[in-house]
């Protein structure tokens, strides 16, 4: 005798970058299993692939993850997880590294359990800077946001990113460089050439590029970390999807 088929509810969400509404179903046990395996492997490429596959399955192919900005993908995934597992996410956060020892015996084992309601997490796209940056009258650079797996490598529980990583990531985010009417696509240039181009800019010019890059919305959430020993607290910024699965 055939076992009954379980029907799943559908929900709707708004894609942050486009404002488009899409409907989706929660992910199922088989999909969660794939995801957990990818997460355990700590392989960001495998995890991105698992996230993309789940989004395709849960929207019945209506959404192509390649059309999504990295912050769309993170946001979508967090919503999916909320509908699938529960709206409240519990994150075990260790004492923030930049938190001056609040009590003398503070150790790395000081874990604070953070409860986050995913409905409280919004993505603000209003502060995105223009992607076309003029370097001179003739020369300019068109930027794009990085791929999700490039960003995931830089996800962290305290949202810090090293200058050297930012530089590498910026090289990956060049779409093209224009010189009058001539367009030099980044994919047709070597990393060395792009690196030299960036290094030849003045700090002021480079800062404009950095500003675009830094204006990219991220999945982030500020929450108070409370020391389990002395109860002093510090605001912690959870940044990137990985931080919400910690
Ligand atoms: Zn303390």
């Amino acid at each position: 005798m055939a076992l009954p088929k379980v029907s799943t509810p559908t929900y709707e969400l708004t894609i942050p970058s486009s404002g488009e509404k899409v409907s989706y179903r929660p992910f199922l046990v088989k999909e969660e299993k794939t995801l957990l395996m990818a997460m355990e492997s700590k392989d960001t490429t495998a995890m991105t692939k698992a996230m993309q596959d789940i989004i395709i399955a849960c929207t019945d192919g209506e959404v192509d993850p390649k059309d999504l900005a990295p912050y769309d993908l993170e946001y979508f995934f967090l919503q999916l997880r909320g509908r699938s597992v529960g709206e409240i996410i519990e994150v075990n956060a260790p004492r923030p590294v930049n938190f001056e020892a609040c009590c003398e015996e503070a150790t790395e084992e000081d874990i604070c359990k953070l409860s986050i309601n995913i409905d409280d997490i919004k993505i603000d796209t209003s502060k995105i800077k223009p992607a076309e940056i003029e370097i001179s009258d003739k020369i300019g650079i068109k930027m794009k946001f990085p791929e999700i797996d490039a960003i995931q490598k830089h996800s962290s529980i305290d949202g810090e990113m090293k200058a050297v990583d930012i530089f590498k990531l910026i090289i990956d985010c060049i779409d093209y460089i224009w010189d009058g009417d001539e367009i030099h696509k980044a994919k047709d240039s070597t990393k060395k050439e792009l690196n030299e181009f960036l290094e030849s800019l003045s700090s002021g010019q480079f800062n404009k590029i950095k500003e675009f890059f830094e204006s990219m919305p991220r999945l982030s959430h500020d929450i108070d970390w409370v020391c389990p020993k002395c109860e002093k607290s510090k605001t912690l910024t959870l940044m990137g999807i990985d931080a919400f699965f910690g």
Side-chain angles (χ1 to χ4, degrees):
M1 196 173 69
L3 292 174
K5 281 216 171 12
V6 183
S7 67
T8 44
T10 56
Y11 301 93
E12 198 173 67
L13 68 73
T14 305
I15 306 270
S17 70
S18 63
E20 193 191 334
K21 281 191 171 27
V22 294
S23 55
Y24 64 96
R25 64 157 172 83
F27 56 71
L28 309 174
V29 172
K30 61 177 177 187
E31 289 149 352
E32 194 184 0
K33 252 168 46 188
T34 316
L35 179 69
L36 289 175
M37 277 164 63
M39 279 168 63
E40 275 165 16
S41 74
K42 302 259 177 220
D43 176 349
T44 51
T45 312
M47 190 165 160
T48 303
K49 172 89 171 54
M51 281 168 61
Q52 291 172 333
D53 288 350
I54 288 177
I55 286 180
I56 294 170
C58 293
T59 59
D60 204 15
E62 289 287 305
V63 171
D64 183 349
K66 291 196 171 57
D67 296 336
L68 299 178
Y71 49 90
D72 291 332
L73 196 60
E74 289 189 321
Y75 177 73
F76 202 148
F77 207 75
L78 190 71
Q79 296 298 316
L80 257 175
R81 185 181 186 268
R83 299 298 170 219
S84 310
V85 183
E87 276 77 4
I88 306 292
I89 294 180
E90 303 245 300
V91 176
N92 289 319
R95 190 161 57 89
V97 278
N98 51 357
F99 193 11
E100 298 295 316
C102 49
C103 44
E104 284 194 9
E105 313 89 277
T107 64
E108 282 184 10
E109 284 86 61
D110 295 341
I111 299 285
C112 172
K113 189 170 270 214
L114 310 171
S115 289
I116 305 151
N117 186 329
I118 62 152
D119 291 331
D120 293 342
I121 299 171
K122 305 274 182 277
I123 298 224
D124 180 10
T125 56
S126 67
K127 294 182 182 72
I128 299 177
K129 295 261 165 52
E132 293 188 356
I133 298 147
E134 281 182 14
I135 304 289
S136 72
D137 296 349
K138 244 179 99 208
I139 299 170
I141 184 162
K142 165 77 169 35
M143 302 294 293
K144 59 185 166 74
F145 287 135
E147 305 279 326
I148 182 84
D149 30 340
I151 300 178
Q152 269 197 303
K153 289 185 190 128
H154 304 285
S155 288
S156 66
I157 200 127
D158 53 11
E160 297 291 331
M161 202 163 170
K162 290 196 214 93
V164 58
D165 291 333
I166 294 176
F167 201 82
K168 275 191 207 152
L169 205 49
I170 284 177
I171 290 179
D172 288 338
C173 295
I174 300 174
D175 189 359
Y176 57 82
I177 293 162
W178 75 83
D179 180 4
D181 293 336
E182 217 179 324
I183 301 277
H184 303 273
K185 290 221 173 249
K187 62 175 168 56
D188 300 329
S189 308
T190 64
K191 290 255 188 289
K192 190 167 171 280
E193 288 169 331
L194 295 168
N195 195 60
E196 279 170 9
F197 179 80
L198 286 182
E199 285 184 341
S200 74
L201 302 177
S202 71
S203 306
Q205 290 164 337
F206 184 69
N207 277 342
K208 279 202 245 171
I209 296 172
K210 233 170 104 183
E211 274 168 23
F212 163 76
F213 179 75
E214 286 167 353
S215 76
M216 180 180 72
R218 288 290 320 260
L219 184 67
S220 73
H221 186 62
D222 287 347
I223 192 162
D224 282 340
W225 188 90
V226 183
C227 173
K229 284 184 195 149
C230 70
E231 299 192 337
K232 276 187 193 149
S233 67
K234 182 181 171 67
T235 305
L236 189 67
T237 303
L238 299 173
M239 179 90 77
I241 190 83
D242 291 8
F244 292 86
F245 284 80

